[in-house]
Amino acid sequence: MEQINNYIETHKDRFIDELVELLKIPSISADTAFSQDVLETAKMVEKSLADAGCDKTQICETKGYPVVYGEKIIDPNLPTVLVYGHYDVQPPDPMNLWDSPPFEPIIKETELHPHGAIFARGACDDKGQFFMHVKAVEFMIQNNTLPCNVKFMIEGEEEVGSDSLADFLMENQELLENDIILISDTGIIGNDVPSITTGLRGLSYVEVEVTGPNRDLHSGIYGGAVPNPINVLSKMIASLHDENNHITIPGFYDKVEILSEAERSEMAKAPFDLTEYKEALDIDDVYGETGYSTSERYSIRPTLDVNGIWGGYTGEGAKTVIASKAFAKISMRLVPHQDWNEITELFTKHFLSIAPKGVKVKVTPHHGGQGYVTPIDSVGYKAASLAMEKTFGKKPVPQRTGGSIPIVALFEEVLKSKTILLGFGLDSDAIHSPNEHFGVWNFLKGIETIPYFYKYYTELAK
Amino acid sequence: MEQINNYIETHKDRFIDELVELLKIPSISADTAFSQDVLETAKMVEKSLADAGCDKTQICETKGYPVVYGEKIIDPNLPTVLVYGHYDVQPPDPMNLWDSPPFEPIIKETELHPHGAIFARGACDDKGQFFMHVKAVEFMIQNNTLPCNVKFMIEGEEEVGSDSLADFLMENQELLENDIILISDTGIIGNDVPSITTGLRGLSYVEVEVTGPNRDLHSGIYGGAVPNPINVLSKMIASLHDENNHITIPGFYDKVEILSEAERSEMAKAPFDLTEYKEALDIDDVYGETGYSTSERYSIRPTLDVNGIWGGYTGEGAKTVIASKAFAKISMRLVPHQDWNEITELFTKHFLSIAPKGVKVKVTPHHGGQGYVTPIDSVGYKAASLAMEKTFGKKPVPQRTGGSIPIVALFEEVLKSKTILLGFGLDSDAIHSPNEHFGVWNFLKGIETIPYFYKYYTELAK
């Protein structure tokens, strides 16, 4: 295993060049205008798996975008690691806030990334992170140090809810058989504070449409006399939180896992600097549910945020119009025991019930997923912890984070395996935002760490 | 005067063709991308005035778009009518709701317009309506029946607040000297219910911007812990009305003209069918200030409406983002005695005061104007009433409407003249909306009626 450092030193420029090529393709799954690019990316991913030394690779058609599969089976009696990742990316909007074009990757130094960071949509989420696994496996195969079997399952619909993946799992349970699932789609607290994500929030994502009059109206002639769907939508959204920022949907908190005071004070020991947090975001105060700390608000508590809103005239200048329709995209982050289907139903029922007379309201669920908690006494967690300790020089902190990888709960349900969330990004990498980037140091540190996970996991699993 | 009907019969196809040419140019003053088209339109308007027989025409430069001036002075001792109109149009958005392209005029029959209506942006507001005056004056000049002097002042910034017109009035008081101002930029109750607008509401139009974190964030990682500007903006907008739909801005109602019960019951006699109103808009209920009828809500009461809102991800699919900024365009319709500058200040002060900690709020006033009331015992009103009675066969109803022509109050202040609002559109003409149109019957009825106004006005003004 120790050769990994030499291998990285020799090949790192090529690793980065290969990643840059992958980042150049705008594989935006949310926008059908880019469907050819998504398919093109799938082909490139398959080739990278074959080049790394997989014995078998395959582009598996689904009803949506394909799943790229690859495997290297060295001995059926040895454990099998299933690597999951996604080759699709978030839309890059708002485009005008990017300092360089999102699909023309460039490497720049930043304060947190003195060795440079790759700036591009998908650099961290998730092309850069799944590609670490491809390169780590390449090393192990080329140097005959792969200690167990490995399978890859890289999908193209993660950013739009992994709609086809459930069917794919169901139909390919044998192909996907494994002992542990390994994912790098999360982050570490800092380059000097390694951490492993042990909890993920679930997600319910809906789109709402409020219709007032059947056409846009002149606000002078009709203003004040007809329901204005934007005013109504604002009022409906506002009512979803009370004065303590509790969510007002009846039943919303019924199944929320309540942590003991002991657990909360244990979690409160994780390093967190509120002043730095506010400064980094340039906000003069945080905002959230009364009675919980900032790190509790984004980890152990469910939340509701509007992700987008639009209606009426949004161009330059002034237009005195009352829109016929107003829209919003709303997502709820859920905690263990909350069921996303149930929450979606509760939201829908409540949102329809608060619509005033005079408007029509439509709620369309987009996608969702269950939350997940990784047990820290499992073999997989221990192997990941040892691997990070080896390469970072300190033991990683277990951390619950607020993000969602909805598919993780499904993996456990269908494939009966636990998932280890071994990510190497930083919170500041601006995933889902303009100027997304991924530290070169982090990318290479991931490639260095992953082979140790295989080593320790194979040893401990015996 | 009686020759007008023959003249219309002979020339109506040409009148319509000429209007269609004018409608083809997208003179959208709100969007700088169309500035050449706006200037092109000004030239075409000037030519139409010269063609009609004006002795003097001129494109008068301003710091914004030019004012087109024209005059026919037959005797300085006779009264002078000043015709005001505007050649700019509203933006056509949302484009996808137009049945035919907004700048490719077509004539189609509708239920309310069995003789056909011209569908195009600006057909009614205001190209079609000011062009009636050009053609009516053409008739009077060509047939030597013009009984007084006439001046035209057609501007190009009405839809964006007439910013340059105040200076233009100030600098050209002598040129613009007149006895009465005549405007067709309003409507009638129905083709069988002629009416004259006697009251207009004032307007204050602002744009607001709420900034939370300094960049877009991943809603999983930050959701629930930072101020989400869309949620905050929704809450701020919602709070601008109380449970009775009264506006909550302190001082907002202080100067509102309170009508006596007698006046209110007089107004309530105007024909208004709530069931038809709701059916035409496809709403199951109206919505507005408690204690007032629908026609009061849009005429004698001030209102506040959001005209546009936007923020976060508004594209296809789902993006789990917390936006850095959210925006809204908000307009307030004002009634007599409310000063738009003062209201804009009250709004700004209040809106900034309700911002929660954690966000930054900016309010940018767009434009505004004072309300106006025309006295129905004035010579101008009487002449207009007689003219309509002559051509419609029934006496018109005086009507206060909710729209604003902010410049009318300024006319009185600077030019010391009263304004007569002699419009021929219908509420259903969809001005400011997709599929704006103007009845061919209405267009020709306007051309027929206007010469009678000149006749009666000249007679009564003696």
Side-chain angles (χ1 to χ4, degrees), chain B residues 309-327:
Chain B
I309 193 165
W310 69 104
Y313 183 66
T314 59
E316 206 184 327
K319 184 165 146 73
T320 47
V321 68
I322 293 184
S324 171
K325 288 174 189 287
F327 305 84

Side-chain angles (χ1 to χ4, degrees), chain A residues 149-185:
Chain A
N149 307 308
V150 59
K151 295 176 178 177
F152 284 91
M153 171 174 64
I154 314 295
E155 71 148 320
E157 299 186 313
E158 200 270 349
E159 300 294 5
V160 290
S162 302
D163 274 352
S164 308
L165 199 62
D167 284 349
F168 181 77
L169 296 180
M170 295 300 207
E171 290 160 11
N172 294 280
Q173 295 188 43
E174 204 174 328
L175 179 73
L176 299 172
E177 217 170 354
N178 69 83
D179 297 277
I180 191 84
I181 297 167
L182 188 59
I183 306 181
S184 295
D185 199 13

